[in-house]
Each structure stands twice: as C-alpha cells, then as structure tokens.
C-alpha cells in the first residue's frame, strides 16, 4: 500500500488520477505497478493507435479518445510518460528518429553528428505534444486552472560520442551531463529560476508543498523552494554535487 503516493494524495482531494504512455501495459508491468501506487487507470496509446502513431507524444492530444481520458473528469492528475525523445543509440534508424527527420528535415546535417540530428528532431516531437496540449486546454477552458510539471529522468547516455555531447552541453564530465530540465508552469505564473542543485527525490516534496498535500513528512528529499535547503545530488559511486562544490570519485 502506498497511501502517500502522489496519485493517492491527489485522489484524496477529489482528483482523478490516470497515467499515460504509448507502450503496452505489460511492458515493465506498468498496469499493475501504476494501479498499486494509486492510479485509477493506465492508458496505453497502443489501445487506440497503431505503433507508428502511438510512439509520437502528440498522440496524447491528437487522438480525441485519449485526450478525453486526460480531461473528462476534473480536477485531474495525469502522469504522462513521454517517448518521442527517448534515447538515440545509433542515429536516424533507431526509435522512429527517421520519421522525426522526415517530419522535420531542417534538422538533417544541423550538427556534426547524425545522432544529434536525430535526437533534436525527436525532441521537437515532444515539443509538439506540449504545444498541442496548451492549445486544446485553452480551447476547452481548462488552461487557467492547470499546472504542468516537466522533468527529464536522464540525459541521452546512449549517444556514442559522449565527448561531443559534453562539448555541446558545456560539461566537463559525465556527472554534469545529468543536469536535466525540471520546470513547473501555469498560466500567468511569475517567472522564478532555481539555480541551486536539486535531485529527483526533491520533486515529490516540492509538489506536495505547492499543492498543500499532507504527506506527513514521509519522504526523502526537500522542497526546492525552501531557503534553508542548499541543494545536492549524489550518485551510487559516492560522487556528489552541491551548490558549494562537488566530488567525483572516478575522475
């Protein structure tokens, strides 16, 4: 039982909680796992579209049935696992990158690496989903009362030329490549940038505090808006980065 999971905490406040992803519910046993942590339903795009279309993140908003699942009961808490920008691993012939480059040919030969061309075009497909989501929510009168939170689970460690990736990212080592996007957006929000180091475990308490969810302090991590929290991230090999310095065990 996970009574303090985000879906359960939101459901206690009257929200509908569903998760969304292209892949089949058996992959990673997502249907059972998501149900166990409190989601009412795992929505697989493959139940509504063929593989070629389902892999595209914009299917969330382009398919009326799926979009209806997202918004039919308000308020709603939706956990959307994107896929379009997931891993490059070898260039344009991997994971629908060739289709992404067909849709956005302007990314061909933009970089010195075919892999970078591919991942850029694939990232554009994820951008399409966000753009479409904003448009449909606005049309349905839901945007004013919607908060969108985006977080990247990892950088593209499948790119073969990691040195080139470091150069593009302005990073000196692999640890610093783990600096990935985390944003919280709502219409007319006052812009604030948090530049201290935070880590994945900080996302949960931050969301709980912003929405007034009572998790009784049962968490590992800190609210990123807490002025007393200096911020840190660490790795299983003992390396760590804080706002004041860093230690890399393998360098």
């Amino acid at each position: 039982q996970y009574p303090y999971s985000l879906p359960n905490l939101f459901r206690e406040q009257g929200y509908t909680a569903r998760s969304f992803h292209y892949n089949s519910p058996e992959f990673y046993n997502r249907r059972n796992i998501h149900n166990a942590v409190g989601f009412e339903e795992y929505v697989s795009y493959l139940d509504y579209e063929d593989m070629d279309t389902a892999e595209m993140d914009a299917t969330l908003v382009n398919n009326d049935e799926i979009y209806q699942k997202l918004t039919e009961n308000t308020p709603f808490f939706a956990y959307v696992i994107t896929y379009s920008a997931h891993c490059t691993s070898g260039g344009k012939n991997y994971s629908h990158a060739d289709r992404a480059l067909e849709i956005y040919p302007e990314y061909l030969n933009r970089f010195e690496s075919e892999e970078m061309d591919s991942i850029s075009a694939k990232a554009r497909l994820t951008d399409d989903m966000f753009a479409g989501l904003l448009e449909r929510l606005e049309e349905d009168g839901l945007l004013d009362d919607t908060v969108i939170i985006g977080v990247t689970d990892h950088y593209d460690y499948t790119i073969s030329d990691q040195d080139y990736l470091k150069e593009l990212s302005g990073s000196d080592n692999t640890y610093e490549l783990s600096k990935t996007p985390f944003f919280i957006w709502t219409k007319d929000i006052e812009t604030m940038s948090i530049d201290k180091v935070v880590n994945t475990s900080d996302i949960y308490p931050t969301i709980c505090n912003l929405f007034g969810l009572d998790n009784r302090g049962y968490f590992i991590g800190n609210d990123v808006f807490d002025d007393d929290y200096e911020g840190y991230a660490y790795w299983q090999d003992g390396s760590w980065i804080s706002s004041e310095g860093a230690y890399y065990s393998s360098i």
Side-chain angles (χ1 to χ4, degrees):
Q1 301 298 313
Y2 300 93
Y4 299 107
S5 68
L6 281 177
N8 279 323
L9 290 178
F10 274 105
R11 289 177 68 181
E12 286 180 0
Q13 300 300 316
Y15 286 69
T16 298
R18 291 190 176 104
S19 57
F20 297 79
H21 185 46
Y22 105 88
N23 216 333
S24 65
E26 291 79 21
F27 194 80
Y28 286 147
N29 197 22
R30 279 195 173 98
R31 172 177 288 154
N32 291 329
I33 292 174
H34 288 202
N35 179 259
V37 298
F39 289 105
E40 299 165 57
E41 182 181 7
Y42 171 75
V43 180
S44 169
Y45 304 166
L46 290 174
D47 290 336
Y48 303 87
E49 300 278 359
D50 60 30
M51 176 69 79
D52 286 345
T53 305
E55 286 185 335
M56 303 296 171
D57 289 338
T59 301
L60 175 73
V61 291
N62 290 340
N63 183 290
D64 290 337
E65 291 181 275
I66 297 175
Y67 177 76
Q68 183 69 18
K69 284 278 188 180
L70 178 75
T71 60
E72 64 185 356
N73 296 312
T74 56
F76 57 85
F77 171 69
Y79 173 46
V80 180
I81 306 172
T82 63
Y83 181 73
S84 289
H86 180 68
C87 292
T88 302
S89 188
K92 65 182 181 182
N93 295 318
Y94 179 80
S95 185
H96 69 267
D98 52 346
R99 290 196 61 214
L101 287 166
E102 288 177 5
I103 297 171
Y104 292 112
E106 61 266 33
Y107 289 97
L108 277 169
N109 302 316
R110 175 175 286 195
F111 296 93
E112 299 174 13
S113 161
E114 182 181 271
E115 289 180 313
M116 293 306 302
D117 294 343
S118 300
I119 194 63
S120 299
K122 280 155 57 71
R124 179 68 177 271
L125 296 179
T126 301
D127 287 344
D128 291 344
M129 181 273 291
F130 280 109
L133 181 62
L134 293 176
E135 290 174 2
R136 293 206 68 167
L137 291 173
E138 183 77 80
E139 291 171 359
D140 294 341
L142 297 172
L143 190 60
D144 288 351
D145 198 29
T146 297
V147 177
I148 298 174
I149 300 172
V151 61
T152 307
D153 59 345
H154 58 76
Y155 75 98
D156 194 351
Y157 51 76
T158 67
I159 292 178
S160 57
D161 191 346
Q162 290 288 301
D163 289 335
Y164 184 52
L165 187 61
K166 292 174 186 176
E167 179 184 339
L168 287 175
S169 303
S171 301
D172 294 329
N173 57 68
T174 300
Y175 298 103
E176 292 179 9
L177 288 177
S178 293
K179 181 181 179 180
T180 55
F182 171 31
F183 68 84
I184 301 172
W185 180 93
T186 190
K187 191 174 181 181
D188 299 325
I189 191 172
E190 181 180 348
T191 301
M192 175 185 295
S193 178
I194 304 296
D195 56 7
K196 64 185 174 185
V197 177
V198 298
N199 68 81
T200 306
S201 66
D202 298 328
I203 298 171
Y204 169 77
T206 300
I207 294 174
C208 287
N209 288 343
L210 285 174
F211 284 88
L213 303 175
D214 181 14
N215 55 27
R216 301 189 183 181
Y218 293 160
F219 54 78
I220 298 173
N222 298 270
D223 179 4
V224 301
F225 297 106
D226 183 353
D227 291 335
D228 293 329
Y229 175 47
E230 296 182 356
Y232 64 87
Y234 57 88
W235 284 258
Q236 62 184 11
D237 66 0
S239 299
W240 53 266
I241 297 177
S242 74
S243 299
E244 302 299 326
Y247 165 73
Y248 307 117
S249 67
S250 63
I251 296 178

